[in-house]
Each structure stands twice: as C-alpha cells, then as structure tokens.
Amino acid sequence: MPSRGRVLLLLLLVLVPGCRREASPAPDLIVVNARIWTGDPARPEAEAMAVREGRILTVGSGDAVRSMASSTTRVIDAQGRRVVPGFNDAHWHLPMRPRVELAGAGSVEEIQRRLAPLTQAGASTDWVIGGGWGPTDFPDRAPHRRYLDADFPDRPVLLTDRDGHQALANSHLLRLAGITRDTADPPNGRIGRDASGEPTGLLQEAAMGLARRLMPPVTEDEAYGMVLTELARAASFGLTSVQDASASEPDSVRVKAYQRALREGTLPIRVRVAVPFEKGATAARLAAFVRVRDAHRDGWLGFGIAKGMLDGTVDGHTAALLAPYADRPTDTGLPMWEQAALDETVAAYDTAGLQVELHAVGDRAVRMALDAYTHAARVNGTTGRRHRVEHVELPSPEDLPRFRTLGVIASTQAMFASPDSVTLGSFAPALGPERASRADAFALLDEAGAVQAFGSDYPVFTMEVMRGIHAAVTRQLPDGTPPGGWYPRNRISVAAAVKHFTADAAYASHEEREKGTLAPGRMADFVVLSEDVFGIPPERLWAVKATMTVVGGKVVWEQR
Ligand SMILES: [Zn+2]
C-alpha cells in the first residue's frame, strides 16, 4: 500500500498541471521596496508583500517575496514609500443628490456667491440644494430665509448645515410646504421662529422632513451614479472600505444602487450598509434585516447593523445634555427616546443578532445608549455584539470606562476635533470651557481602553482621511492655528489614529480577521502614501496623499 500511494501521488503531480503550482502558488501581485506598516503585532514592519486571488500570501523581506514571483506576477515598486492597510471610514453617508458645497463659506455673501450660478439655470420646479454651512456664517449666528429670497424668489432652496441636523429654506419653499406661524413643531423637530413668531426658514431635525418630503425622488440611475462617483472619490483618499450609516431600507433606491454595482462588478471599494433602528420593529421586520445580512457574505457589500438616533448636535442645541447649555441656561437639548422604549428596542435587535449603532452626541444621550446596551446584555445574556455609540462627542467622565467593560465601540469622527470657526465660535461656547475641554476627547477614550473606530461623517465633514488624521494628531487647522492645538491634552499619536482608521474600524464591523491589518490570509486592501506619516512633522499630515489604493489586490486608484 505505501508504495502504491507514492506512485499515485507522483502520477498526480505529473498529470495534473495545476497541482504542483497550488502547492506553492505564484502571486498575482507583489509590492517591493516598500516601508509597510502592517498593524500586525507579529510583524509590525516589512519591505514587501505578495498577493494572490485578492488575499495576502506573505509579508516579508524583499528577497523572499521577489523569489515567489513568476513571469505573470505584477510587480509594484513602491519606491521606498510608506504602505499602510487600506483606510476604513466607520461612519460615512452616500450623498444621494449633487449639492452646492457651502463648507467653509464663512459669510452670507460667500454663500450667495456660491449659489449664484444656479440663479440663471433651471426651471422654477428645480430645487437648489446646498450643504455645509455653519451658524457663524450668518450675522448674529442667525440663519434666515431673507438671505435667499432675493436671488431665489420662485424656486425651492434648501441648504443643510454642516452637521445635517438643520436646514435653511427660502420663503418659496416654506410656502410650498405650508409652514406658517401657525404650524406646530413636529415631534423631535423645531421650526425656527423670530421674536414675533414668524418662521425664519430654519428647520431643525424632524422639521426638515416638512420640506424634504416635497423633493422629487432620486431615480435608480441617479443613485447608481452617486455610488460610482462617491466611492471612486473615497478610493482616491486611500479608503478601501466605508460603512454607510444612513439607516437604509433593504429595498431602498440606495441599497438597490449598491447591489447593482456589486452585480455589475463596478464597486470600487467595500461597503457596509446600516438598516433602520426603529421603535416597535416587528419580528418580520427584524427577520428581513437578518435576511439581507445573510444574503451578502461576499466581502464587498455587507449588512447586519442598524442605525438609530438618540439626539441631535451641539451647534443646533439639540444634543441631549445632563446639564443645560452654557449659552442657554434652561435648555438641555432634545432627546429623541424614552429610556424604557430604547431599552426594549435595543434588546429586540440584540436578540435578533443584529448589531446596533446609536447616534449620541451629548453626555445624556451617550449614557442612554450605554444603559440600553447594559440592559440588553443582561436580559438576553448576549456577549460580543459590539454595539456602537456614534459620535460620542461629550461622554461623561464616569461613563468612559463603560465602553471597555461593556465591549461597546466608540465610533468617533477625527475631523470633529478640527478647531474651525464653527467649533470655536458655536460648538465650544454652547458647552462652556469645562465641557469643551473634554469634547471629542480621543485620548481620554483611548486611555479608558475603548475600541475607538474613526470615521468622517461625510458629507458632514470631508472624507479626506489624512485631514482627519491631522486633526486628531494636532487639533489644529492646516494653517497651524490655534498655536499648540485646541485642548492639546486630547491629541493622539499618528499610529493610534491610523489604527482607529484601519484595524479598529474593521473590528467595529466584525471584520478584523478579514481586513484592517496586513498579514497572510487578510484581504489585500492597502494604500501607498506620498510621505511617511510616521516620520514627517505632524503639521504636514494634512497634505499627505494616497498615491495608490489597492482593494482585493486590484489597483482602484493611482495618482498620475
Ligand atoms: Zn452620520
């Protein structure tokens, strides 16, 4: 028998040509002459890497990796550049319509200037959609429809603020929506009013729905176009994964657009999509969320997480606080849930096996989320769900250790620490100095042992990863202000920031064994950077570019 076995094996090796190659397969792609930061503690640095069928074969020395190559292997010479795992934006939104970018406008005149090209074009039924303004762009921090009415007397204008939690409508749109001084605030929303009770055009939280429901629906082709252009832009910043936190219905136009891109093989990067987290979700509804998750196990398009909202924003005075706003002594914000209903709903999703992510900015809302997760773990006896709190801008110091003990992810946004005019002129004064000093406190969360996943909240903020890393590391603007950084106690290291944008973001989607580090068996998702982020002065981080982005061993972006 033994000799017969040997003969058989020999025959197999000779007769089946693929057989020998499979024993030590040649890579499709090798990266050489690189400075690889792997994120893998077993081998933190390397100079070369081999890839086959979308996965990493080996990470090692240049000689070892070169010797594996065959004549068909593609060789990427990184020219000594820094290579890191592909970035993963843990909190991102696909914009569904093109909009006029108002970020950084700084004044009403500049907002009007940016909208000016639209005053000529378009019919009276065409909407003027913009976004990105901050309260400090307006005199007395008071956005008002009067600034829009002269240029747009008979077309609907809706301009969302930089946080996406309030919007300014012109008078024509208020008329179309039937919003008058007699209109009551909707639940979880506010209609901005002047001293005499007249609507100002400012619509906060759910009040935006009064205007938005009049917008023409986005078509499937338009949504598909947005998927392709927005994900291609993401790849150009080194992103190889994004986690869309938009609470999408499984049969929505957005999800259909992602599925079409998956089917047609046109998804440039990987996407995970959140479904709605809602009060009274029926068993059938939860089963549908589980079904869409189980139907997508390909590594490109994923589900399995539900997004809910517990409060608003500090700038809008809608974030739910334990103590009143510094500049509004009777106002503690706008919590959107009762604790008992939240507990019950989180427990229901938890039982169904779904991960939950709850938007919670203020210390009161963050505590409500942590309390609900505590409740779910207790009544269901579940562990390892990795439920998440999104934004966590102002956690109470007492609640910081709970992230680690509960295994709850702190899903924070690096760019929120950017001390721009809105942060300094609106956000910080609303909280007062003590609370502002521990807001977006990435260092405090790290020290408390929380798993902290970084994201951008695009399109609220730019999705340029290096801008985010620069903000987290320096707490300064690219122009170097303020000197020393905004509350520099909360600066973190470049390595910590990169880890939050890679391995920790992968952990936050239960995918740390698939991506986020560069090690044998992992997905071949990586980015080549124009400069060594670990070696340059931190003031220059914002200017670092992705020169090449590779997803599943395929080059999806290359700077030319
Ligand atoms: Zn968001």
Side-chain angles (χ1 to χ4, degrees):
M1 284 302 281
S3 74
R4 209 144 132 227
R6 260 204 304 276
V7 170
L8 254 176
L9 181 70
L10 203 70
L11 266 173
L12 270 173
L13 286 175
V14 172
L15 295 178
V16 185
C19 195
R20 259 156 81 188
R21 226 177 304 137
E22 257 166 46
S24 80
D28 306 320
L29 170 77
I30 61 173
V31 183
V32 295
N33 193 17
R35 305 175 69 186
I36 305 175
W37 185 94
T38 66
D40 175 14
R43 184 174 198 135
E45 292 273 345
E47 58 187 33
M49 184 163 57
V51 171
R52 185 180 163 83
E53 287 169 1
R55 300 257 171 188
I56 295 169
L57 275 181
T58 315
V59 179
S61 73
D63 287 346
V65 167
R66 276 180 205 275
S67 73
M68 297 168 70
S70 74
S71 57
T72 58
T73 300
R74 175 171 178 185
V75 181
I76 293 175
D77 182 345
Q79 298 172 323
R81 286 204 167 121
R82 178 56 78 181
V83 173
V84 297
F87 296 126
N88 183 338
D89 190 322
H91 190 119
W92 185 94
H93 301 272
L94 177 72
M96 296 299 283
R97 308 167 189 269
R99 64 171 207 180
V100 178
E101 185 51 68
L102 302 177
S107 69
V108 163
E109 294 69 33
E110 176 61 16
I111 288 174
Q112 290 166 339
R113 199 190 62 76
R114 293 189 192 181
L115 296 173
L118 293 173
T119 55
Q120 284 94 27
S124 63
T125 49
D126 286 349
W127 283 59
V128 175
I129 296 168
W133 58 265
T136 51
D137 295 344
F138 294 90
D140 303 322
R141 281 198 247 155
H144 199 285
R145 61 193 153 86
R146 78 169 76 96
Y147 303 118
L148 308 173
D149 287 345
D151 288 340
F152 299 99
D154 58 1
R155 280 174 68 186
V157 181
L158 191 64
L159 310 178
T160 311
D161 81 337
R162 71 164 198 179
D163 292 327
H165 288 256
Q166 48 187 355
L168 181 62
N170 64 342
S171 296
H172 182 69
L173 178 51
L174 290 189
R175 276 193 299 276
L176 289 178
I179 297 172
T180 68
R181 58 184 300 130
D182 301 323
T183 309
D185 288 349
N188 297 328
R190 274 181 193 158
I191 296 169
R193 298 169 207 269
D194 64 19
S196 72
E198 281 299 322
T200 59
L202 188 67
L203 304 172
Q204 296 190 295
E205 302 296 342
M208 291 187 291
L210 302 173
R212 279 198 179 142
R213 67 185 178 201
L214 304 174
M215 282 183 179
V218 175
T219 68
E220 287 186 22
D221 282 344
E222 285 167 341
Y224 180 67
M226 292 303 281
V227 165
L228 300 189
T229 52
E230 294 292 322
L231 294 184
R233 273 193 74 222
S236 76
F237 301 127
L239 286 162
T240 55
S241 295
V242 293
Q243 302 180 37
D244 187 335
S246 303
S248 307
E249 292 294 335
D251 62 353
S252 61
V253 136
R254 177 191 309 255
V255 168
K256 284 188 183 141
Y258 283 133
Q259 286 168 329
R260 176 173 161 194
L262 175 71
R263 228 173 25 242
E264 296 184 3
T266 50
L267 266 184
I269 67 171
R270 308 177 196 276
V271 187
R272 188 173 193 235
V273 182
V275 297
F277 174 87
E278 64 199 8
K279 211 175 290 185
T282 60
R285 195 104 162 99
L286 295 173
F289 297 156
V290 169
R291 226 169 21 245
V292 69
R293 177 195 70 192
D294 293 344
H296 292 87
R297 298 283 195 190
D298 50 77
W300 285 92
L301 180 60
F303 293 83
I305 189 162
K307 163 76 179 300
M309 304 282 297
L310 300 193
D311 68 348
T313 67
V314 169
D315 294 311
H317 296 83
T318 47
L321 302 183
L322 294 168
Y325 283 92
D327 56 355
R328 287 197 194 169
T330 59
D331 193 349
T332 54
L334 199 64
M336 296 180 181
W337 285 76
E338 301 282 345
Q339 188 71 49
L342 180 64
D343 287 356
E344 197 182 311
T345 308
V346 167
Y349 278 76
D350 183 88
T351 298
L354 292 162
Q355 194 184 8
V356 173
E357 57 175 343
L358 296 173
H359 167 120
V361 167
D363 43 13
R364 179 163 172 214
V366 172
R367 181 166 297 171
M368 288 175 72
L370 293 169
D371 286 352
Y373 295 148
T374 306
H375 173 264
R378 195 175 58 234
V379 297
N380 294 339
T382 45
T383 55
R385 285 280 192 261
R386 302 186 193 174
H387 295 312
R388 302 169 32 160
V389 186
E390 306 301 302
H391 311 311
V392 208
E393 288 204 73
L394 184 74
S396 166
E398 295 161 59
D399 287 331
L400 287 173
R402 299 177 70 194
F403 285 88
R404 196 175 85 89
T405 52
L406 291 168
V408 168
I409 313 288
S411 172
T412 53
Q413 285 67 45
M415 273 299 281
F416 284 15
S418 173
D420 62 12
S421 63
V422 181
T423 302
L424 300 183
S426 166
F427 180 89
L431 292 179
E434 190 279 321
R435 284 180 297 191
S437 76
R438 52 184 173 80
D440 297 307
F442 307 140
L444 294 179
L445 280 161
D446 282 350
E447 288 160 22
V451 173
Q452 188 168 195
F454 267 174
S456 65
D457 207 12
Y458 177 77
V460 176
F461 277 79
T462 175
M463 63 167 131
E464 292 162 82
V465 177
M466 290 312 307
R467 288 289 308 278
I469 290 176
H470 172 262
V473 170
T474 67
R475 294 178 78 96
Q476 290 176 324
L477 297 180
D479 68 7
T481 60
W486 182 63
Y487 298 116
R489 161 75 177 83
N490 280 303
R491 290 182 302 202
I492 59 172
S493 69
V494 176
V498 171
K499 181 167 179 280
H500 297 334
F501 262 124
T502 54
D504 292 340
Y507 184 90
S509 66
H510 291 279
E511 292 174 294
E512 76 279 8
R513 282 193 286 273
E514 294 287 315
K515 58 191 180 188
T517 49
L518 300 175
R522 298 278 192 274
M523 292 168 170
D525 296 359
F526 56 89
V527 49
V528 184
L529 299 173
S530 62
E531 291 187 82
D532 183 1
V533 291
F534 303 105
I536 60 171
E539 301 78 52
R540 292 224 316 266
L541 284 168
W542 62 271
V544 175
K545 301 278 181 240
T547 61
M548 180 186 277
T549 305
V550 177
V551 185
K554 236 179 74 189
V555 177
V556 296
W557 156 257
E558 203 167 354
Q559 195 178 45
R560 296 184 185 279

